Amino acid sequence: MESPPDDSASARSVTAGFLAEHCPWADPAAVQLVVTELTANALQHTAGWWRLRLRAEDDEFTVELDDSSTRLPEARVPDFGGRGGFGWPMVLRLAGRVEVRRHARGKTVRAVWSRPAIAADPAAA
């Protein structure tokens, strides 16, 4: 699914609906925090376009955010005075896997969650 939201709140809403319909096993709070951070960064740090893509497969859920900036995300020392630095570490902790790739038109940040394994029922053994 490709989404044309114009702000972080719209992106969260689209993501919540997508998760409920296609990927109920994913942690909606974690996914929505990651989507919020990625879209907020795109809005703040790019002057051009950005695009959110969501994909659910049998065992994985993927969020991809493409934007027009080639500047890669970087970890900064968190600033309690209001200058940020909390978001990128949060993305790295909440997603199972994070990949960043530059391309000719900007970059893509991909966050992937794997479906949790279902514990075997010891009584069934």
Side-chain angles (χ1 to χ4, degrees):
M1 175 195 158
E2 289 190 26
S3 166
D6 56 0
D7 61 24
S8 293
S10 296
R12 275 193 314 273
S13 177
V14 166
T15 301
F18 186 89
L19 285 174
E21 184 174 344
H22 300 289
C23 200
W25 56 264
D27 178 353
V31 172
Q32 287 180 301
L33 280 170
V34 168
V35 166
T36 298
E37 185 58 32
L38 295 180
T39 56
N41 283 345
L43 289 164
Q44 181 179 358
H45 298 294
T46 65
W49 58 271
W50 62 279
R51 175 180 58 201
L52 174 67
R53 292 182 296 188
L54 309 171
R55 185 174 61 244
E57 298 175 355
D58 289 340
D59 293 327
E60 283 190 339
F61 173 70
T62 304
V63 170
E64 289 183 322
L65 191 116
D66 304 314
D67 68 44
S68 61
S69 172
T70 58
R71 185 174 176 199
L72 300 180
E74 59 186 57
R76 297 182 291 133
V77 174
D79 178 354
F80 291 96
R83 289 194 196 163
F86 298 93
W88 186 241
M90 180 178 60
V91 168
L92 296 174
R93 288 185 127 185
L94 291 174
R97 184 173 79 242
V98 178
E99 304 163 0
V100 182
R101 189 190 60 163
R102 281 188 178 131
H103 45 77
R105 298 185 60 213
K107 71 176 169 300
T108 299
V109 178
R110 175 181 297 133
V112 180
W113 288 262
S114 295
R115 179 182 218 131
I118 298 173
D121 182 1

